Amino acid sequence: MARRDVPLTGVERFFDPDEVIVSKTDLKGRITYANRVFQRVAGYDEADLMGAPHSIVRHPDMPRCVFKLLWDTLAAGKEIFAYVVNRARNGDHYWVFAHVTPSFDAEGRVIGYHSSRRVPERSALDKVIPLYRQLMDIENSHADRKQGMEAGFAAVVALLAEKGIGYDEFVFSL
């Protein structure tokens, strides 16, 4: 499944601006659908992805506090946009601008999640990459991973408060 034993290559993968990476997961984050663009860019076959945790593409340089924000937002039944760096099967990486939404059943209960990812603007990544490095430094400065994630999350909240804007406004301002 996950190729955590494969070292990072430092090579960035790209996909076309008119392509969309799409996946769906169940409530536990296990993949139930992955389109061909996702399979190609991530370097996995459909059989590798079905039932696998979506974290199969988690890059170790992605701040955990951003995922906390994502999951907290989804748990509240709301959509979220986020810049994410993912890890391909061979250790390459690729950036996406993700739009993640809860999927609801006929009674309005959340039954899973849907994510559509597009090519991010490079100018936005020029701002996101140093921010994520800073958040990773904060997270890694704590011996306890959960405390590190909470400290990174507090830094994000403080940044938004300093700017006087909400998260969505911040993301779309990049």
Side-chain angles (χ1 to χ4, degrees), residues 56-121:
I56 194 170
V57 295
R58 187 185 185 290
H59 194 285
D61 290 342
M62 184 66 201
R64 293 173 61 237
C65 62
V66 175
F67 287 120
K68 175 181 173 23
L69 177 65
L70 183 142
W71 284 110
D72 288 355
T73 303
L74 292 172
K78 299 177 182 171
E79 67 183 349
I80 188 167
F81 291 85
Y83 291 93
V84 178
V85 61
N86 286 319
R87 179 182 187 168
R89 184 178 198 152
N90 71 344
D92 292 353
H93 67 278
Y94 58 99
W95 281 94
V96 298
F97 184 56
H99 177 214
V100 187
T101 62
S103 299
F104 300 95
D105 68 10
E107 284 78 44
R109 293 180 298 238
V110 176
I111 57 171
Y113 306 99
H114 179 275
S115 179
S116 298
R117 277 111 47 215
R118 295 195 169 275
V119 173
E121 294 290 331

Side-chain angles (χ1 to χ4, degrees), residues 8 29 31 38 43 58-59 66 73 77 94 102 116 137-138 162 173:
L8 298 174
I31 298 170
F38 183 16
R58 187 185 185 290
H59 194 285
V66 175
T73 303
Y94 58 99
S116 298
D137 288 346
I138 292 168
E162 174 187 311
S173 73

